[in-house]
Amino acid sequence: MSQRQVLQVFEQYQKARTQFVQTVADLATRPQNIETLQNAGVMSLLRPLLLDAVPTVQQTAALALGRLANYNDDLADAIVKADILPQLVYSLAEQNRFYKKAAAFVLRAVAKHSAELAQAVVDCGALDALVVSVEEFDPGVKEAAAWALGYIARHNAQLAQAVVDAGAVPLLVLCIQEPEIALKRIAASTLSDIAKHSPELAQTVVDTGAIAHLAQMTLNPDAKLKRQVFSALGQISKHSVDLAEMVVEAEIFPAVLSSLKDPDEYVKKNVTTMMREITKHTPELSQMIVNAGGVAAVIDYLGDSRGNVRLPGIMMLGYIAAHSENLAMAVIVSKGVPQLAICMAEESEDHIKAATAWAFGQIGQHTPEHARAVAAANVLPKLLNLYLDTQSSEDLQVKAKKALKNILQKCTYLPALEPLLYEAPSNILKHVICQFSKVLPHDSKARRLFVTSGGLKKVQEIKAEPGSALQEHINAINNCYPEEIVRYYSPGYSEVLLERVDNYQPS
Amino acid sequence: MAALLQLYTQINVIKEEYYTRNRIAEENRQREHDAAVKIQSWFRGCQVRAYLSHIHRQATVIQKTCRGFAARQHFRERLKTAYFLMKIHFYNKMAVKIQQRWRGYFVRTYVHNFYARKRYLDELAKKNGQIRRELEELAEQQRKERERTAMEKEEKEKYTQAQRLHFLLSTKQCPGVFNSPFRQEPDEMELRLRRVKPVRTQSAPKEPWHLNQQPLSLQYNKDKLPPIHKTPQGPFRPAVEVQQQRYRPLEPSLRVATSITALEEAREELRRQEWRTRLIDQPFVPFSKAQRNRRYESLLHTASPYQQEEYGKKHFREEDQDQLKGKQADHFTPR
């Protein structure tokens, strides 16, 4: 009898513990409860429960700790200071799969907040245990461990190097081949986080044969998986020409162009980012993408999307056009210039406008044909406005000025240059006048048009220091016309004529 | 002698005649002399003239032939030069043609081929159009697919809902909730309820399970069930079936059936097995750990004499005393 009573006490206590830990875990899912829990000192209560005899209590305690650490970094810091991590790492190697999942969840929640916390997690020897967990059979455990590794490797290059040194990369590549979609996603995201820091890390990822599997997964219908896969490929290809070539050799083009019509916004953004990183390096890579029809697809994408996600597409067009005049002409032929003009007009963010201005500069700087195509889209006055606008950021102003200068130095399309005569400041004006002085001596129709549209009048009104280049150009323009016309349009001619009337004595 | 006498009679006449004749001759001598001189000079002139013209004619003939000869020579020279010029002209034109072709070829292969570029841009425009069309079609297809699946899902949901709410179907006596008499026609849900097929539950097995061990409660009342409701409810399943359904033995899934200490037990079993059967003292280490001993080899073209320190030398847990102050290093040593 008394034995039963004694046992009943223990049973009650176990029930109480289980209930407490489950309730805390449920409460920890809602952010508003966490403050209260923290003030009530939940950390010190949960810590001994991790060592409880009953496995369910242990697991639920670990889960509750994980959710708390997930919420903010103070709690994560508290976990680190309370020396809970070594216990978790030890049990990661020993316990069953539910506990492993919960322990990996805690490690991930702690490591995600900052580099120091991640370093603390690494210092406890978590990496080896996590790598062992990635080799487990259960896909849930693999996923949790891979996720934790991903969050550790995210912060900086040393941590990523530490993850690589623990031998995680081949295992992650094996995880990518598993049938579960969630596991694939996490493994792809971890590889992306590892490869993004430096070329050596990217090379390590590539050496394990990741590219082939990632390339296969680009055809998978799941949208979140595609996000991670394209992000990984983009991070790999951004570091060097060889890596970009290896990504291209996996024959992803033109199949990835179909992902540009995916309904998910971030898939499209990551595809464009990847294409940008590839085209950045050499003209041959850009040529390959142009030949596959990538430029047209990206231009359509720019038309359909709005906001920040347009930025990689705009930069890609700029990079392609920057390599050679052939490629710039290809961008123009694919109707890129009107689309970029629409982007410039629609977007309000300064950095996107700066990128568009830069892209225009790259397109229009090669030959008069290119400058004409850019000028015909009525872009030059807009660039001028961006340059002169006091509210534009400095970066935007600098880029707009540089683009304007580059285009003007090659532009011979006079109807587009005329509006600039009226509004431009002197440093832009000298380029405009220079172009006029080059074109007018040879074209009589243009001369006539110049006079009738009031350009000659404006030129006479410009004040320039004698001997400066501007004055020389003005002289060159004046030499194209007979003296009477020049005098007629010079300022103050009407006063001169009236003076002559005053001084005339009829005979 | 008569002639002589005649002559002597005429001596005086003759003397007078002689003197008159001489006088007349003397008078006419100058005139006749001039006339003779004139005639002679004229004649000499004629002679000379004839001689001159003869000479002239001869000289003309000589000059004529000479000129002809020289002119023909000259003409031949001119003909030769004209022929030569004609040939040169022809060769020049041919050379120009060759140079044209060569220059065109050279510029096109080594400097810049304008027509190839033009062709390339045209092809590119066509390719772009094609890609744009294909992507449009693909997007359209995917959208239709998504719409179709969404619609099917919705339809299925509504169908299951109708199945569950089948009792709301209106009867002859009592119109259902969805078939209000004030409406012109019944609601969509009502029509669905009419069309729905009853939910098929998994029917209980026709024969009782002989193989499974049946719990105690099944040994009693196989035919008589305790009454659930006072009033009869409808077509019942046979009682045996219901009894079997209610007291169906548990078929736990693998996860539930695994003991929570399965891992430890398995480990123990493995250890015992190893203890029993081990012949080799040096166990074979699987390859997954081989990575750990391998030093990471950096790229050849980025390696520098200033090597990165190997991870594990500078701040490894056991050696970095500063970091470990306050931590108990002996507690949890992982394997």
Side-chain angles (χ1 to χ4, degrees):
Chain A
M1 267 287 272
S2 69
Q3 195 190 24
R4 239 190 85 206
Q5 275 172 347
V6 168
L7 286 176
Q8 212 173 21
V9 170
F10 278 95
E11 268 191 41
Q12 273 175 359
Y13 179 47
Q14 183 179 332
K15 255 195 220 158
R17 285 200 318 270
T18 329
Q19 199 193 22
F20 168 69
V21 121
Q22 273 172 356
T23 328
V24 167
D26 284 331
L27 287 173
T29 51
R30 286 195 202 86
Q32 56 265 39
N33 299 332
I34 292 189
E35 308 273 336
T36 341
L37 286 172
Q38 196 179 4
N39 292 341
V42 68
M43 207 60 75
S44 48
L45 287 172
L46 280 178
R47 196 184 156 194
L49 289 173
L50 278 176
L51 305 166
D52 200 277
V54 180
T56 334
V57 173
Q58 280 178 12
Q59 285 156 25
T60 328
L63 190 62
L65 266 179
R67 285 186 185 152
L68 287 170
N70 212 2
Y71 177 66
N72 76 6
D73 52 346
D74 290 330
L75 285 165
D77 210 33
I79 290 187
V80 171
K81 289 213 177 76
D83 269 347
I84 299 181
L85 289 179
Q87 163 65 27
L88 284 171
V89 169
Y90 174 65
S91 52
L92 201 56
E94 292 295 305
Q95 301 281 356
N96 67 8
R97 56 203 162 103
F98 306 105
Y99 196 88
K100 283 193 207 208
K101 259 199 269 193
F105 173 48
V106 177
L107 290 173
R108 164 181 117 214
V110 168
K112 94 169 178 190
H113 294 286
S114 78
E116 290 82 22
L117 287 167
Q119 186 64 46
V121 170
V122 169
D123 290 337
C124 299
L127 283 178
D128 293 330
L130 284 171
V131 166
V132 168
S133 308
V134 178
E135 287 180 292
E136 285 274 318
F137 286 124
D138 184 62
V141 172
K142 282 204 243 207
E143 186 186 327
W147 210 338
L149 286 171
Y151 275 12
I152 293 175
R154 185 177 286 197
H155 296 285
N156 61 29
Q158 285 103 318
L159 288 165
Q161 185 64 49
V163 170
V164 167
D165 288 336
V169 178
L171 298 168
L172 287 169
V173 174
L174 281 171
C175 282
I176 275 192
Q177 300 165 42
E178 296 279 329
E180 289 85 18
I181 293 274
L183 185 54
K184 284 198 222 244
R185 273 188 216 147
I186 304 297
S189 120
T190 310
L191 285 174
S192 163
D193 286 332
I194 292 176
K196 79 180 178 198
H197 296 287
S198 82
E200 288 84 16
L201 288 165
Q203 187 66 46
T204 324
V205 171
V206 166
D207 285 339
T208 48
I211 290 189
H213 299 112
L214 288 171
Q216 263 177 345
M217 291 200 293
T218 54
L219 302 169
N220 197 302
D222 184 59
K224 288 190 179 155
L225 176 62
K226 276 198 275 200
R227 275 190 213 171
Q228 304 300 337
V229 164
F230 286 126
S231 155
L233 287 171
Q235 303 288 4
I236 290 174
S237 53
K238 85 177 178 199
H239 295 289
S240 84
V241 185
D242 298 317
L243 290 166
E245 277 177 1
M246 287 181 81
V247 170
V248 165
E249 272 163 23
E251 290 178 21
I252 44 179
F253 290 100
V256 297
L257 296 179
S258 59
S259 303
L260 277 173
K261 291 287 182 188
D262 202 282
D264 190 288
E265 203 182 28
Y266 288 100
V267 170
K268 290 190 271 200
K269 180 178 175 218
N270 286 348
V271 173
T272 349
T273 313
M274 180 189 78
M275 285 167 80
R276 175 190 83 195
E277 304 297 353
I278 291 177
T279 56
K280 197 164 72 169
H281 297 287
T282 70
E284 286 81 25
L285 286 167
S286 310
Q287 184 73 56
M288 191 234 61
I289 289 193
V290 165
N291 288 347
V295 174
V298 167
I299 290 171
D300 283 350
Y301 162 65
L302 283 179
D304 293 333
S305 61
R306 300 278 175 273
N308 241 332
V309 292
R310 274 174 161 169
L311 188 62
I314 297 175
M315 288 179 72
M316 177 186 146
L317 291 177
Y319 279 128
I320 289 181
H323 286 299
S324 82
E325 67 93 18
N326 240 340
L327 290 166
M329 191 47 106
V331 172
I332 292 173
V333 159
S334 314
K335 305 191 184 81
V337 175
Q339 187 57 257
L340 282 174
I342 294 175
C343 286
M344 195 189 239
E346 281 183 350
E347 294 298 326
S348 56
E349 299 258 325
D350 270 357
H351 60 271
I352 302 182
K353 286 198 195 197
T356 324
W358 170 78
F360 274 129
Q362 298 302 325
I363 295 177
Q365 72 179 350
H366 298 281
T367 73
E369 283 294 320
H370 297 80
R372 186 199 178 100
V374 172
N378 208 14
V379 160
L380 296 178
K382 292 197 189 121
L383 281 174
L384 189 62
N385 285 342
L386 285 176
Y387 172 52
L388 293 174
D389 193 0
T390 46
Q391 289 183 348
S392 318
S393 66
E394 206 180 294
D395 181 50
L396 175 55
Q397 279 180 346
V398 162
K399 289 205 163 90
K401 174 173 176 234
K402 196 141 179 274
L404 201 52
K405 199 170 130 186
N406 283 344
I407 297 176
L408 282 175
Q409 277 171 345
K410 289 279 181 340
C411 185
T412 54
Y413 185 56
L414 297 182
L417 288 181
E418 282 195 26
L420 292 181
L421 269 180
Y422 296 95
E423 296 158 3
S426 60
N427 52 355
I428 305 286
L429 197 58
K430 68 176 185 242
H431 295 294
V432 179
I433 300 286
C434 173
Q435 289 302 111
F436 273 114
S437 70
K438 280 186 207 160
V439 176
L440 285 177
H442 305 288
D443 192 353
S444 63
K445 280 211 190 90
R447 283 200 286 272
R448 193 191 164 89
L449 209 59
F450 191 54
V451 169
T452 52
S453 62
L456 190 59
K457 188 164 169 32
K458 182 73 178 62
V459 166
Q460 301 309 318
E461 287 165 14
I462 297 171
K463 292 188 192 48
E465 295 94 43
S468 68
L470 188 56
Q471 188 62 38
E472 278 173 36
H473 296 314
I474 293 180
N475 291 344
I477 294 179
N478 289 343
N479 288 342
C480 302
Y481 292 98
E483 214 191 295
E484 300 94 36
I485 305 238
V486 175
R487 248 188 293 141
Y488 177 73
Y489 279 110
S490 55
Y493 187 62
S494 43
E495 282 84 29
V496 169
L497 277 180
L498 285 174
E499 257 185 56
R500 277 183 63 185
V501 168
D502 288 335
N503 297 340
Y504 187 68
Q505 297 290 340
S507 49
Chain B
M1 274 199 38
L4 200 51
L5 269 158
Q6 218 173 355
L7 267 161
Y8 279 126
T9 54
Q10 273 186 347
I11 285 180
N12 284 345
V13 167
I14 293 172
K15 272 186 203 167
E16 267 192 51
E17 196 74 32
Y18 179 73
Y19 280 118
T20 5
R21 280 214 187 152
N22 272 350
R23 192 187 44 169
I24 291 171
E26 197 67 42
E27 278 168 4
N28 293 334
R29 188 177 58 171
Q30 190 64 29
R31 219 184 79 219
E32 281 173 3
H33 180 78
D34 289 340
V37 163
K38 205 168 205 173
I39 289 169
Q40 281 171 10
S41 70
W42 182 258
F43 181 72
R44 281 200 182 109
C46 283
Q47 249 188 348
V48 164
R49 272 197 291 280
Y51 179 66
L52 277 180
S53 69
H54 175 73
I55 288 177
H56 276 309
R57 266 201 298 277
Q58 282 181 333
T60 307
V61 166
I62 293 170
Q63 284 174 1
K64 202 167 69 173
T65 34
C66 221
R67 281 206 182 101
F69 178 76
R72 267 186 293 280
Q73 254 190 353
H74 181 65
F75 169 73
R76 251 182 238 116
E77 291 304 320
R78 274 186 62 173
L79 189 63
K80 278 187 195 153
T81 50
Y83 180 61
F84 178 75
L85 281 176
M86 192 178 80
K87 284 203 288 194
I88 293 282
H89 184 60
F90 179 74
Y91 294 154
N92 279 350
K93 288 223 298 210
M94 295 301 120
V96 163
K97 277 205 211 282
I98 293 172
Q99 283 170 5
Q100 267 177 345
R101 294 294 188 107
W102 161 253
R103 284 207 179 107
Y105 165 76
F106 183 78
V107 159
R108 273 193 297 278
T109 43
Y110 295 107
V111 175
H112 171 61
N113 190 350
F114 174 70
Y115 292 102
R117 179 170 182 265
K118 192 158 169 224
R119 237 192 344 248
Y120 168 71
L121 289 172
D122 290 335
E123 291 290 330
L124 185 69
K126 269 194 265 182
K127 179 83 193 271
N128 281 347
Q130 184 201 6
I131 292 270
R132 279 186 169 128
R133 271 194 306 273
E134 279 177 9
L135 285 181
E136 285 285 330
E137 277 170 22
L138 191 73
E140 192 59 35
Q141 219 177 20
Q142 280 178 349
R143 193 182 58 82
K144 285 210 175 85
E145 191 67 34
R146 276 197 302 275
E147 272 176 20
R148 198 177 58 84
T149 43
M151 249 176 55
E152 272 180 9
K153 194 169 152 210
E154 211 187 291
E155 187 59 40
K156 199 156 174 263
E157 260 181 40
K158 286 198 176 155
Y159 190 77
T160 44
Q161 199 185 31
Q163 274 186 337
R164 285 201 217 110
L165 296 176
H166 69 94
F167 49 85
L168 292 175
L169 185 64
S170 54
T171 56
K172 211 167 171 184
Q173 289 292 342
C174 174
V177 177
F178 297 111
N179 191 8
S180 163
F182 304 111
R183 288 170 75 99
Q184 284 164 342
E185 44 179 49
D187 191 48
E188 167 218 355
M189 200 59 185
E190 173 67 28
L191 295 168
R192 220 178 268 279
L193 285 169
R194 287 182 194 165
R195 268 187 278 135
V196 120
K197 284 192 193 150
V199 174
R200 289 195 57 162
T201 53
Q202 203 176 19
S203 54
K206 306 286 177 193
E207 297 144 10
W209 294 303
H210 296 293
L211 303 169
N212 290 355
Q213 203 177 37
Q214 295 178 355
L216 273 155
S217 51
L218 212 73
Q219 291 172 6
Y220 319 117
N221 36 8
K222 283 201 178 174
D223 292 310
K224 245 190 172 179
L225 279 173
I228 306 167
H229 298 286
K230 300 238 170 63
T231 51
Q233 289 296 306
F236 288 123
R237 291 248 177 93
V240 186
E241 225 176 79
V242 177
Q243 189 77 313
Q244 280 164 2
Q245 210 171 339
R246 239 200 235 174
Y247 297 108
R248 196 161 74 175
L250 177 71
E251 284 176 317
S253 67
L254 186 61
R255 177 175 163 154
V256 168
T258 329
S259 139
I260 217 155
T261 51
L263 194 65
E264 286 83 277
E265 285 166 14
R267 284 210 179 109
E268 273 305 313
E269 180 57 43
L270 272 177
R271 232 175 270 143
R272 270 183 253 128
Q273 198 184 15
E274 232 253 287
W275 173 249
R276 283 200 308 272
T277 58
R278 187 183 72 190
L279 296 173
I280 308 165
D281 278 331
Q282 277 184 350
F284 177 67
V285 175
F287 291 122
S288 66
K289 311 285 186 213
Q291 300 279 5
R292 292 220 199 131
N293 303 327
R294 212 163 52 151
R295 193 174 153 271
Y296 171 65
E297 295 162 3
S298 45
L299 290 176
L300 198 61
H301 54 264
T302 54
S304 73
Y306 308 101
Q307 286 288 344
Q308 196 187 31
E309 277 176 325
E310 281 180 43
Y311 172 74
K313 270 214 176 127
K314 215 176 169 194
H315 297 292
F316 202 61
R317 294 199 301 284
E318 288 149 10
E319 290 182 5
D320 191 11
Q321 297 301 327
D322 297 347
Q323 255 206 349
L324 287 174
K325 264 186 214 160
K327 283 196 186 163
Q328 298 144 15
D330 302 314
H331 256 150
F332 313 109
T333 51
R335 292 192 190 160

